[in-house]
Amino acid sequence: MELWYTENHSKEAKFSIKVEKQLYSGKSDFQRIDVFESNEFGKFFTLDGLVMITEKDEFIYHDMIVHVPMATNPAIKKVLVIGAGDGGTVRELVRYESIEKIDMVEIDQLVVDVCREYFPHSTSGLDDERVNLYFEDGLKFVSEKVNEYDLIIVDSTDPIGPGEGLFTRVFYENCHKALTDKGILVNQHESPFYEEYQKAMQRAHQRIHEFFPVAKVYQVHIPTYASGHWLFGFASKSFDPVKDLDADRWNALGLETGYYNTEIHKACFALPNYVKKLLSEAVSK
Amino acid sequence: MELWYTENHSKEAKFSIKVEKQLYSGKSDFQRIDVFESNEFGKFFTLDGLVMITEKDEFIYHDMIVHVPMATNPAIKKVLVIGAGDGGTVRELVRYESIEKIDMVEIDQLVVDVCREYFPHSTSGLDDERVNLYFEDGLKFVSEKVNEYDLIIVDSTDPIGPGEGLFTRVFYENCHKALTDKGILVNQHESPFYEEYQKAMQRAHQRIHEFFPVAKVYQVHIPTYASGHWLFGFASKSFDPVKDLDADRWNALGLETGYYNTEIHKACFALPNYVKKLLSEAVSK
Amino acid sequence: MELWYTENHSKEAKFSIKVEKQLYSGKSDFQRIDVFESNEFGKFFTLDGLVMITEKDEFIYHDMIVHVPMATNPAIKKVLVIGAGDGGTVRELVRYESIEKIDMVEIDQLVVDVCREYFPHSTSGLDDERVNLYFEDGLKFVSEKVNEYDLIIVDSTDPIGPGEGLFTRVFYENCHKALTDKGILVNQHESPFYEEYQKAMQRAHQRIHEFFPVAKVYQVHIPTYASGHWLFGFASKSFDPVKDLDADRWNALGLETGYYNTEIHKACFALPNYVKKLLSEAVSK
Amino acid sequence: MELWYTENHSKEAKFSIKVEKQLYSGKSDFQRIDVFESNEFGKFFTLDGLVMITEKDEFIYHDMIVHVPMATNPAIKKVLVIGAGDGGTVRELVRYESIEKIDMVEIDQLVVDVCREYFPHSTSGLDDERVNLYFEDGLKFVSEKVNEYDLIIVDSTDPIGPGEGLFTRVFYENCHKALTDKGILVNQHESPFYEEYQKAMQRAHQRIHEFFPVAKVYQVHIPTYASGHWLFGFASKSFDPVKDLDADRWNALGLETGYYNTEIHKACFALPNYVKKLLSEAVSK
């Protein structure tokens, strides 16, 4: 059976995964959801035809979106997660006993329902008693919060479709307001390589930079995302992710991780010249 | 015109580039050589159907294979480059006035001839008067040298076909012998993600580790290579690439680079846990 | 969502259909069965990764495998159908009131079950009271019959996997024995264009020719089969499909058909020179 | 080397040929021309990304566009060929000693030049002394001719780009005028299966039907054209292609052909019901 899932990383570059079979296909009010089984990546799911997570490499994304802020400020107690319907971000968060409350706001309940069925490992943290699930628009949810969270994680799709609002100026402004004065905002920050992603990255950085005194970007190797070169944003009102890291303290927690470690933590903020240039162009526009 | 070049990154994952036209196709005694023109990556060439360089991202590879050792030991005077037929490695080397001699040993003259025609930017350093071009077997060439080079760069294809010998124990042993007591060996070290590449990476590390007291691996984002997560090996008789870096000294040279900088230099040696584990498994075998 | 089903028509020619979603995937004791939904061809199903029928063009295959023999001898009363799990052949047969009995022998019950669910139009004739369904090996079934059928239709997969036995000398010999002295054998006869299919076609013709005084081949345009140029075999003990056609009589039945008509009936036995040559080479071996 | 040429037969069905190498790529004032080498089909060339001929199956097209009219009226002396830049149509025509003059009008000289270089077999008839090559617009050329040709063959691309004018009402009207009162017009008539081709076929038939008392369509198996089911139009002022065929006379010429024979000649005018319906819908619009 030759059945291939193909994703256009750009108009003229594409990545294809041989599919053993399709496990699910459905449409919610927001997007199309498909789940596939593959030999190379295990199960993977797509939203509107773009890979969200694969069993093989999701650990990289979730390690890096969670442990970087958590190791920077171990005093984080209240967390807001926006998007993240696959559950992986919450799974990593609930490993921290110090966290008291996790509000997760996912616009599309079907994503969570489908992931609970097909990705039990990924969604295993969602029933933790500290987790409150809201199926609402994250943009609206955050606009009603003031000084409430120590950490906001924006684990969204690309800025097309349901994820679009999570890349707007007003959203970042509301995040700033919803964070405490030690608050950290981490967001999925697209990729520097292919043009479309590059533009989205620049726009996001430009807007975050307007509202946060610390606005950095860190990089990670995610083989199933376009170009394999992926970025996260780290913005905060006071913490510097490198200087404020107390590596010993985090290591003392004894959390086993597949990608993250405290050396990677420091290293991932060192960016290639061409990426630095793109980011500095963005903020000088 | 729908014409696509496809490379299998693994048996069940493939990467495809839309080709505007094929500029060259030929067979040497060693391998098949093809040159293509694409909109997304500019011109690119393949050996036996595997992408070697693209105009769009070759700067990443060449920055990282050259500037890491050169910044570690600015006293490097004599360099041996093995493979590297596209010329990019030499192009970066000749920017260092301090280098006195570069011996480049490429087994396949046709690669150099073709790259001179289609990649003039890449091959622009080959006519530098310090460069000696040898069209010979690198394995044999290096076996005849003793205590001669400060730096050996192995810029080879994968360990199949003509590149195979450059991943053997005897080759690394000969490199050790050919290096001065301050010598550094940098080599193309495959990728940690897909199984076949992973195995090649482990084998290379295991063998280098036998002969060199310092045997490290550093990582880089190369979008057109399998998984986008690529590794280089840094082995030496004495230098530690991180501790011995004098960033100010390198920065004072004023070399403009697209990827490399001295922060990246230090950062690229921080590896994800799963890569560290693969490497430590390799040396404990 | 870019999801494509691909079939290799030869090692270096392939045909791909964009899939909206996969409706079913399962494995029986005999083969893998998949059902897909597409915009271009409607639903289609594959056995071991080869297209069997699509909603868009299945009428061509079923018209031509049934109406050619039925129009040649309208006195056919007892029919044996081997294979044909999608039901389309029986659907066409039950339109003839003159037929008294149809034994259908399909080795794989799962094919029928899946087609009943996803292809109700195709399987609509299976509950006709004249139809007897046997889930058995057709090769064995026919070996136990003597002088019993006026028509045997071999509606099989290619001669690999479960269809293999239906292309053997002993099978054709048994068909001959199971047929009455006016009996007709019609079989799926592969394609003349690509080498692998060409060989299967030649082997089938050679073997049928040994046992039947009349052994002809007729051609049809089936766009979703390899090369679009498909063949059926018409063998009989006495009838000539062209000379014995009474077009008026068949037309008087008033059966509406999408492909078949009595001009096509006569015309389809006229073969291109290169096909005639392949067939005559086969019998002179 | 995985290099594949892909042609969209419809938006959601595509056909791909593995390419050994590209032999030529160029742009004329009219279109893009590419020549490829493949194992499966030998050399093939494309105009604006659509396959024109392959070495493996071009004999089918050229047999059927030439021998059908020539066998219908062996008294043909003066022939106009429009398009046909690959030369195959003229190659078949020059086999008839009875033909006195062949005017070939190809708008794009580069097509002929490229085919002379890469397809010497196909272009072998172009230097016959009866052949006059005109690199002009066929639409204009024919408009200036009155009662001059016994046969016009329109061997054009699809009705997009340079071939567009050759599917217009005014063109067919001019062909009628340019033909003698025994004149025959044969044209490349697209395909009945995929929607876009189907529409082009209907439009062509509708327009030809307006000007010619005899306006028939005949079919052929061309594996490398969309769906493999291809049509030619046969229009004339008096000849009926089936009734007027004198098979013995043509066979006495002793021409060896790979596809055409006089049985195929008669048979190819028998069309499937769905094609007949499409054609009759076209003329009743």
Side-chain angles (χ1 to χ4, degrees):
Chain A
M1 262 299 300
E2 290 272 329
L3 185 66
W4 291 82
Y5 162 83
T6 291
E7 184 170 330
N8 285 291
H9 284 174
S10 76
K11 273 185 197 159
E12 306 203 345
K14 59 188 186 187
F15 180 66
S16 303
I17 302 173
K18 190 160 183 292
V19 166
E20 278 304 290
K21 61 180 166 183
Q22 185 169 22
L23 300 172
Y24 175 82
S25 182
K27 276 185 192 172
S28 70
D29 289 347
F30 305 99
Q31 55 206 335
R32 177 169 170 170
I33 306 169
D34 294 272
V35 183
F36 301 98
E37 190 173 305
S38 72
N39 290 324
E40 183 60 54
F41 297 101
K43 281 181 277 188
F44 65 97
F45 90 97
T46 64
L47 294 180
D48 285 341
L50 299 175
V51 170
M52 293 297 114
I53 62 167
T54 82
E55 286 185 328
K56 183 169 182 173
D57 72 350
E58 60 87 6
F59 75 95
I60 301 173
Y61 182 95
H62 294 124
D63 263 22
M64 293 301 282
I65 204 168
V66 166
H67 301 306
V68 170
M70 288 307 299
T72 302
N73 177 16
I76 286 168
K77 301 260 180 286
K78 297 187 178 173
V79 183
L80 171 61
V81 177
I82 296 175
D86 57 69
T89 294
V90 166
R91 179 196 64 206
E92 293 304 308
L93 284 168
V94 299
R95 300 173 76 189
Y96 291 87
E97 290 178 13
S98 54
I99 291 177
E100 294 170 359
K101 173 177 149 176
I102 301 166
D103 288 343
M104 172 172 146
V105 185
E106 163 62 59
I107 203 169
D108 193 346
Q109 180 166 1
L110 188 60
V111 174
V112 175
D113 292 347
V114 167
C115 287
R116 278 190 194 269
E117 182 166 356
Y118 294 101
F119 299 91
H121 173 61
S122 184
T123 53
S124 59
L126 294 181
D127 295 323
D128 186 286
E129 55 182 11
R130 293 167 292 171
V131 176
N132 310 297
L133 268 174
Y134 299 90
F135 296 111
E136 294 179 27
D137 179 2
L139 182 57
K140 185 162 172 294
F141 188 95
V142 79
S143 74
E144 293 156 358
K145 304 292 176 184
V146 179
N147 194 29
E148 190 155 338
Y149 298 105
D150 303 311
L151 171 62
I152 298 177
I153 295 180
V154 188
D155 176 359
S156 72
T157 54
D158 297 325
I160 331 155
E164 198 169 358
L166 306 181
F167 284 81
T168 58
R169 190 168 274 112
V170 64
F171 173 68
Y172 297 127
E173 188 170 19
N174 284 327
C175 285
H176 186 272
K177 186 168 52 72
L179 285 167
T180 60
D181 58 0
K182 297 207 157 176
I184 295 171
L185 171 70
V186 166
N187 70 315
Q188 186 284 89
H189 209 292
E190 305 288 305
S191 167
F193 193 70
Y194 293 115
E195 196 182 3
E196 284 302 303
Y197 290 100
Q198 204 177 76
K199 283 182 194 163
M201 168 198 96
Q202 288 187 302
R203 270 196 307 271
H205 184 60
Q206 179 190 26
R207 290 167 185 177
I208 292 169
H209 188 264
E210 284 183 36
F211 299 103
F212 288 87
V214 177
K216 306 216 163 178
V217 167
Y218 59 102
Q219 70 184 5
V220 55
H221 286 93
I222 304 182
T224 55
Y225 282 10
S227 86
H229 190 172
W230 212 257
L231 303 176
F232 292 106
F234 179 103
S236 83
K237 297 188 178 178
S238 60
F239 283 103
D240 180 280
V242 177
K243 291 182 200 140
D244 292 324
L245 171 69
D246 182 340
D248 294 342
R249 192 176 51 196
W250 190 84
N251 287 316
L253 293 174
L255 298 175
E256 280 190 28
T257 46
Y259 191 93
Y260 179 84
N261 56 50
T262 49
E263 285 75 40
I264 281 283
H265 181 121
K266 286 172 279 184
C268 67
F269 287 92
L271 301 176
N273 281 353
Y274 84 96
V275 181
K276 289 168 73 174
K277 195 175 163 199
L278 287 166
L279 292 170
S280 86
E281 280 169 10
V283 298
S284 65
K285 270 176 190 169
Chain B
M1 262 300 298
E2 291 271 329
L3 185 67
W4 291 83
Y5 162 83
T6 291
E7 183 169 330
N8 285 290
H9 284 175
S10 76
K11 273 186 197 160
E12 307 204 344
K14 60 188 185 188
F15 181 65
S16 303
I17 300 174
K18 190 161 184 291
V19 166
E20 277 305 290
K21 60 181 168 183
Q22 186 170 21
L23 300 172
Y24 176 82
S25 182
K27 276 185 192 172
S28 71
D29 289 347
F30 305 99
Q31 55 206 336
R32 177 168 171 172
I33 306 170
D34 294 272
V35 183
F36 300 99
E37 190 173 305
S38 72
N39 289 324
E40 183 60 55
F41 297 99
K43 281 181 278 191
F44 65 97
F45 91 97
T46 64
L47 293 179
D48 286 341
L50 298 176
V51 170
M52 292 297 114
I53 63 165
T54 82
E55 286 187 327
K56 184 170 180 172
D57 71 350
E58 60 88 5
F59 75 95
I60 301 173
Y61 182 94
H62 295 124
D63 264 21
M64 293 301 282
I65 205 168
V66 167
H67 302 306
V68 170
M70 288 306 298
T72 301
N73 177 17
I76 287 168
K77 301 260 181 286
K78 296 186 177 173
V79 184
L80 170 61
V81 178
I82 297 175
D86 57 69
T89 294
V90 167
R91 178 195 65 205
E92 293 304 308
L93 285 167
V94 298
R95 301 173 75 190
Y96 292 87
E97 291 178 11
S98 53
I99 293 177
E100 293 169 0
K101 172 176 149 176
I102 301 167
D103 288 343
M104 173 172 145
V105 185
E106 162 63 60
I107 202 169
D108 193 347
Q109 180 166 1
L110 187 60
V111 174
V112 175
D113 292 347
V114 167
C115 288
R116 278 192 194 268
E117 181 167 356
Y118 294 102
F119 299 91
H121 173 62
S122 183
T123 51
S124 58
L126 294 180
D127 296 324
D128 186 285
E129 56 181 11
R130 294 166 291 170
V131 177
N132 310 297
L133 267 173
Y134 299 89
F135 297 111
E136 296 180 24
D137 179 4
L139 182 56
K140 184 161 173 296
F141 188 94
V142 79
S143 73
E144 294 156 359
K145 305 293 175 183
V146 180
N147 193 28
E148 190 155 340
Y149 298 105
D150 305 309
L151 170 63
I152 298 177
I153 294 181
V154 188
D155 176 359
S156 72
T157 54
D158 297 325
I160 330 156
E164 199 169 357
L166 306 181
F167 284 81
T168 57
R169 190 168 274 112
V170 64
F171 173 67
Y172 297 127
E173 188 170 17
N174 284 328
C175 285
H176 186 271
K177 186 169 50 73
L179 285 166
T180 60
D181 58 0
K182 296 207 159 178
I184 296 171
L185 170 70
V186 166
N187 71 315
Q188 186 284 89
H189 208 293
E190 305 288 304
S191 167
F193 193 70
Y194 294 115
E195 197 182 3
E196 284 303 303
Y197 290 100
Q198 205 177 77
K199 283 182 194 162
M201 167 198 97
Q202 287 188 303
R203 270 196 307 270
H205 184 60
Q206 180 191 24
R207 291 165 184 178
I208 293 170
H209 188 264
E210 283 183 36
F211 299 103
F212 288 88
V214 177
K216 306 217 164 179
V217 167
Y218 59 102
Q219 69 184 5
V220 55
H221 286 93
I222 303 182
T224 54
Y225 282 10
S227 85
H229 190 172
W230 212 256
L231 303 176
F232 292 105
F234 179 103
S236 82
K237 297 188 179 178
S238 62
F239 283 103
D240 180 280
V242 177
K243 290 183 201 141
D244 293 323
L245 170 70
D246 182 339
D248 293 342
R249 191 177 50 195
W250 190 84
N251 287 316
L253 294 174
L255 298 175
E256 280 190 29
T257 46
Y259 190 93
Y260 178 84
N261 56 51
T262 49
E263 285 76 39
I264 281 283
H265 181 122
K266 288 173 277 183
C268 66
F269 288 92
L271 301 177
N273 281 352
Y274 85 97
V275 181
K276 289 168 74 175
K277 196 176 162 200
L278 288 166
L279 293 169
S280 85
E281 280 169 11
V283 298
S284 64
K285 271 176 189 169
Chain C
M1 261 301 298
E2 291 272 329
L3 185 66
W4 292 82
Y5 162 83
T6 292
E7 184 169 330
N8 284 290
H9 284 174
S10 75
K11 271 184 199 160
E12 306 203 345
K14 60 187 185 187
F15 180 66
S16 303
I17 301 173
K18 190 161 184 289
V19 165
E20 277 304 291
K21 60 180 167 185
Q22 185 169 23
L23 300 171
Y24 175 82
S25 182
K27 275 183 192 174
S28 70
D29 289 347
F30 305 99
Q31 54 206 337
R32 177 169 169 171
I33 306 170
D34 294 272
V35 183
F36 301 98
E37 191 173 304
S38 73
N39 290 324
E40 184 60 54
F41 297 100
K43 279 180 279 191
F44 66 97
F45 90 98
T46 63
L47 294 180
D48 285 342
L50 298 175
V51 170
M52 293 295 115
I53 61 167
T54 82
E55 286 186 329
K56 183 169 181 174
D57 72 350
E58 60 87 7
F59 75 96
I60 300 173
Y61 182 95
H62 294 125
D63 263 23
M64 293 302 282
I65 204 168
V66 167
H67 302 306
V68 170
M70 289 306 300
T72 302
N73 177 17
I76 286 168
K77 300 262 181 285
K78 296 186 179 172
V79 183
L80 172 61
V81 177
I82 296 175
D86 58 68
T89 295
V90 166
R91 179 195 65 205
E92 293 304 308
L93 285 168
V94 299
R95 300 173 75 190
Y96 292 87
E97 291 179 11
S98 53
I99 292 177
E100 293 170 0
K101 174 177 149 176
I102 301 166
D103 289 343
M104 173 172 146
V105 184
E106 163 61 58
I107 202 169
D108 193 347
Q109 179 166 0
L110 188 60
V111 174
V112 175
D113 292 347
V114 167
C115 288
R116 278 191 195 268
E117 181 166 355
Y118 295 102
F119 299 91
H121 173 62
S122 183
T123 52
S124 58
L126 293 180
D127 295 324
D128 186 285
E129 56 183 11
R130 295 166 291 171
V131 176
N132 310 297
L133 267 174
Y134 299 89
F135 297 112
E136 295 180 24
D137 178 4
L139 182 56
K140 184 161 172 296
F141 188 94
V142 77
S143 73
E144 293 156 0
K145 304 291 176 184
V146 179
N147 194 28
E148 190 154 336
Y149 298 105
D150 304 311
L151 170 62
I152 297 176
I153 294 179
V154 188
D155 176 358
S156 71
T157 53
D158 297 325
I160 331 155
E164 198 168 359
L166 307 181
F167 284 80
T168 57
R169 191 168 274 112
V170 64
F171 173 68
Y172 298 128
E173 188 170 20
N174 283 329
C175 286
H176 186 272
K177 187 168 51 72
L179 286 166
T180 61
D181 59 1
K182 297 206 158 177
I184 295 170
L185 171 71
V186 166
N187 71 314
Q188 186 284 89
H189 209 293
E190 304 289 304
S191 167
F193 193 70
Y194 293 114
E195 196 181 4
E196 284 303 302
Y197 289 99
Q198 204 177 77
K199 283 182 193 162
M201 168 199 96
Q202 287 188 301
R203 272 196 306 270
H205 184 60
Q206 179 190 25
R207 291 166 184 179
I208 292 169
H209 188 263
E210 283 183 35
F211 299 103
F212 289 87
V214 177
K216 307 216 163 178
V217 167
Y218 59 101
Q219 70 183 6
V220 55
H221 286 92
I222 303 182
T224 54
Y225 282 10
S227 86
H229 191 174
W230 212 255
L231 303 176
F232 292 106
F234 179 103
S236 84
K237 297 188 178 178
S238 61
F239 283 104
D240 180 281
V242 176
K243 291 183 199 139
D244 293 322
L245 171 69
D246 182 341
D248 293 342
R249 192 177 50 195
W250 189 85
N251 286 316
L253 293 175
L255 297 175
E256 281 190 28
T257 45
Y259 191 93
Y260 179 84
N261 57 50
T262 50
E263 286 77 39
I264 282 283
H265 181 122
K266 286 173 278 185
C268 66
F269 288 92
L271 301 177
N273 282 352
Y274 85 96
V275 181
K276 290 168 73 174
K277 195 176 163 200
L278 288 166
L279 292 169
S280 86
E281 281 170 10
V283 298
S284 66
K285 270 177 190 169
Chain D
M1 261 298 300
E2 291 272 330
L3 185 66
W4 291 83
Y5 162 84
T6 291
E7 184 170 331
N8 284 291
H9 283 174
S10 75
K11 272 185 198 161
E12 307 203 344
K14 58 187 187 188
F15 180 65
S16 303
I17 300 173
K18 190 160 183 292
V19 165
E20 277 305 291
K21 61 180 166 184
Q22 184 169 24
L23 300 172
Y24 176 82
S25 182
K27 275 184 193 172
S28 71
D29 290 347
F30 304 100
Q31 55 206 336
R32 177 168 169 171
I33 305 170
D34 294 272
V35 183
F36 301 98
E37 191 173 304
S38 72
N39 290 323
E40 183 59 56
F41 297 100
K43 280 181 279 190
F44 65 96
F45 89 97
T46 63
L47 294 179
D48 286 340
L50 298 175
V51 170
M52 293 296 114
I53 62 166
T54 82
E55 286 186 328
K56 183 170 181 174
D57 72 351
E58 60 87 6
F59 75 95
I60 301 174
Y61 182 95
H62 294 123
D63 264 22
M64 292 302 282
I65 204 168
V66 166
H67 302 306
V68 170
M70 289 307 299
T72 302
N73 177 18
I76 287 168
K77 301 259 180 288
K78 296 186 177 172
V79 183
L80 172 62
V81 177
I82 297 175
D86 57 70
T89 294
V90 166
R91 178 195 66 205
E92 293 304 308
L93 285 167
V94 300
R95 301 173 75 190
Y96 292 88
E97 292 178 11
S98 53
I99 292 177
E100 294 170 357
K101 172 177 151 176
I102 301 167
D103 289 343
M104 174 173 145
V105 185
E106 163 61 58
I107 202 168
D108 193 347
Q109 179 166 359
L110 188 61
V111 175
V112 175
D113 292 347
V114 168
C115 288
R116 278 190 194 269
E117 181 166 357
Y118 294 101
F119 299 91
H121 173 62
S122 183
T123 52
S124 58
L126 293 181
D127 295 323
D128 187 285
E129 56 182 12
R130 294 166 293 171
V131 177
N132 310 297
L133 266 174
Y134 298 90
F135 297 112
E136 296 180 24
D137 179 4
L139 182 57
K140 184 161 173 296
F141 187 94
V142 78
S143 73
E144 293 157 0
K145 304 291 175 184
V146 179
N147 193 28
E148 190 154 336
Y149 298 105
D150 303 311
L151 170 63
I152 297 176
I153 294 180
V154 188
D155 175 359
S156 71
T157 54
D158 297 324
I160 330 155
E164 198 169 0
L166 307 181
F167 283 82
T168 57
R169 190 168 274 112
V170 64
F171 173 68
Y172 297 127
E173 188 170 19
N174 283 329
C175 284
H176 186 272
K177 187 168 52 69
L179 285 167
T180 61
D181 59 0
K182 296 207 160 177
I184 294 171
L185 170 71
V186 166
N187 71 315
Q188 186 284 91
H189 209 292
E190 305 287 306
S191 166
F193 192 71
Y194 293 114
E195 195 181 4
E196 285 302 304
Y197 290 100
Q198 204 178 76
K199 283 183 194 162
M201 167 199 96
Q202 287 189 302
R203 270 196 307 271
H205 184 60
Q206 180 191 24
R207 292 166 184 177
I208 293 169
H209 188 263
E210 283 183 37
F211 299 104
F212 288 87
V214 176
K216 306 216 163 178
V217 167
Y218 60 102
Q219 70 184 4
V220 55
H221 286 93
I222 304 182
T224 54
Y225 282 10
S227 87
H229 190 172
W230 213 256
L231 303 176
F232 292 105
F234 179 103
S236 84
K237 296 186 179 179
S238 61
F239 283 104
D240 180 280
V242 177
K243 290 183 199 140
D244 293 325
L245 170 69
D246 183 340
D248 293 343
R249 192 177 51 195
W250 190 84
N251 288 316
L253 293 175
L255 298 175
E256 278 190 31
T257 46
Y259 191 93
Y260 179 84
N261 56 51
T262 50
E263 285 77 40
I264 281 283
H265 182 123
K266 286 172 279 185
C268 67
F269 288 92
L271 301 176
N273 282 352
Y274 85 96
V275 181
K276 289 168 73 174
K277 197 176 162 199
L278 287 166
L279 292 169
S280 86
E281 280 169 10
V283 298
S284 65
K285 269 174 190 170

